[in-house]
Amino acid sequence: MTARISGRNAAPARVECEESTISDHDAHLLRALHDEHADALYTHALRLVNGDRQRAEDLVQETLLRAWRHPESLDPRRGSVRAWLFTTARNLAIDAWRRRSTRVGEIYTDELPEPPEVVDETERAVEAWTVAEALNRLSPSHRDVLVECFYQGRSVSEAASRLGVPPGTVKSRTHYALRSLRLVLAEMGVTG
C-alpha cells in the first residue's frame, strides 16, 4: 500500500492510498494506533517469526492494514485493541508459515551450480551421419519401420496404416530392425 499525505496543515487533509482515500481524522487515528501499539506489536512479531526483522516488519504492516480495513474490531467495547492486534498478527504469522511449508523449500549454498554440459555440435553431426549410414545398410522394410516409429514418432497402429501392414508386423519388424541396427553399428565400430 502506497500512502501519500497531502495538505498536512490544511483543514480537509486526506491520505490517498491505492485502494481508497481516508479522511484526516482516520489518518490521525491510524497514527495514534501505530504510535501506541507498533513497538509492542513489533516485539511480538519478532518472536512469532524467530527474529526475522523483515518478516516482523511485514507482519506489523499487515496487522495495522487489517486494523484499518476493519475499524469495528478496534471498538474498546469489544475488547482490548492490543489483544486484537496481537491475535491478528499471530494468525497472519501462522498463515504465512502454512503457505511456506506447502512450497518446496529454498536451498541456500555458497557454491555455484555446475554449468550445464556443453553440447558439441560436431559430435552430434557425426553421430547423425553414423546412424544415417547404418540405416542405409538395413533392408528397406526394416529401415521404413524405424523411420516411421522413431523418427516420425508414429504409434504402431499409425505406422502400420502408413506402411500398409498389420500392427503385429510393425512390432516384429521393429524388433528385428533394432537388432540389425545394433549389429551394423557394431560392424562400424560404434559401441555403447
Side-chain angles (χ1 to χ4, degrees), residues 49-186:
V49 295
N50 296 322
D52 185 334
R53 292 179 186 272
Q54 184 63 45
R55 281 189 185 156
E57 290 173 6
D58 290 345
L59 199 56
V60 169
Q61 182 179 4
E62 182 63 26
T63 301
L64 292 175
L65 181 63
R66 296 275 172 104
W68 173 65
R69 286 182 178 160
H70 303 282
E72 70 279 358
S73 302
L74 303 176
D75 186 354
R77 293 175 292 200
R78 296 181 76 185
S80 166
V81 171
R82 186 168 284 189
W84 184 89
L85 291 170
F86 277 38
T87 302
T88 301
R90 180 179 176 274
N91 291 340
L92 289 169
I94 290 170
D95 291 346
W97 177 82
R98 286 179 180 156
R99 279 191 304 274
R100 281 190 312 276
S101 67
T102 59
R103 286 189 247 142
V104 175
E106 296 177 358
I107 299 173
Y108 297 99
T109 181
D110 291 334
E111 299 174 21
L112 293 173
E114 291 189 27
E117 284 187 36
V118 178
V119 178
D120 185 9
E121 294 298 323
T122 306
E123 189 161 328
R124 274 185 148 176
V126 169
E127 286 176 4
W129 176 81
T130 304
V131 171
E133 180 64 28
L135 281 172
N136 283 333
R137 293 184 185 182
L138 296 179
S139 69
S141 60
H142 284 167
R143 181 176 46 249
D144 292 345
V145 77
L146 290 180
V147 168
E148 290 296 322
C149 292
F150 291 99
Y151 286 98
Q152 300 298 325
R154 292 192 171 84
S155 67
V156 170
S157 60
E158 291 171 336
S161 174
R162 292 203 32 108
L163 296 172
V165 296
T169 303
V170 170
K171 289 179 185 179
S172 66
R173 281 186 187 170
T174 301
H175 171 77
Y176 290 112
L178 287 172
R179 205 163 98 183
S180 297
L181 185 61
R182 272 189 225 107
L183 289 172
V184 169
L185 287 169

